[in-house]
Amino acid sequence: MRFAHLFLLASCVSALPALASDAPGLSVTVAFSSVKAFPTDCICEAEIKDLATDRVVAAPKVVFRKGSKGRANIGDTRGSTSFEVAMNEAGTSGTYTVTYSQGGKVVAAQKGSIALQ
């Protein structure tokens, strides 16, 4: 069974700076696909943009087993992105969590989910 789904969510989500107007928003595009040679595995490719600058801050590609979680950490202390993804064992739904930090402080976080067929 082959599946490839794209999920786009471009919204400003939780921000921690003092003023919400100073907070960066995230645009997150997520695509799930199966691993042909290993039917219990899947791939999640993401593109994470800072909406304030329209700059891609991370583009992780995570391979993980259905029914478990995968994770990627990108960046350094000046700017880093943590990306966690999961899919249920049946391969019918997936979730992701993005945490975007600057200077060691979390400035934006976003969660999303998608139903897969």
Side-chain angles (χ1 to χ4, degrees):
M1 177 194 219
R2 173 104 176 121
F3 59 91
H5 296 278
L6 186 64
F7 179 68
L8 174 64
L9 182 60
S11 63
C12 297
V13 183
S14 121
L16 301 176
L19 299 172
S21 61
D22 295 338
L26 299 176
S27 166
V28 181
T29 304
V30 178
F32 290 89
S33 60
S34 61
V35 176
K36 196 176 205 178
F38 300 98
T40 59
D41 293 351
C42 56
I43 300 169
C44 180
E45 294 182 71
E47 181 180 83
I48 303 160
K49 282 185 169 183
D50 181 332
L51 288 174
T53 62
D54 199 38
R55 182 176 64 93
V56 174
V57 294
K61 181 176 183 179
V62 180
V63 178
F64 62 102
R65 186 159 296 213
K66 292 177 186 173
S68 66
K69 294 180 181 179
R71 181 179 198 100
N73 293 304
I74 303 100
D76 55 27
T77 56
R78 291 172 294 174
S80 65
T81 304
S82 172
F83 178 73
E84 187 173 285
V85 64
M87 179 180 285
N88 68 351
E89 201 165 322
T92 58
S93 66
T95 62
Y96 73 87
T97 303
V98 176
T99 305
Y100 180 45
S101 301
Q102 291 177 335
K105 296 184 182 193
V106 174
V107 294
Q110 184 169 315
K111 292 182 180 188
S113 62
I114 184 171
L116 306 167
Q117 295 181 6

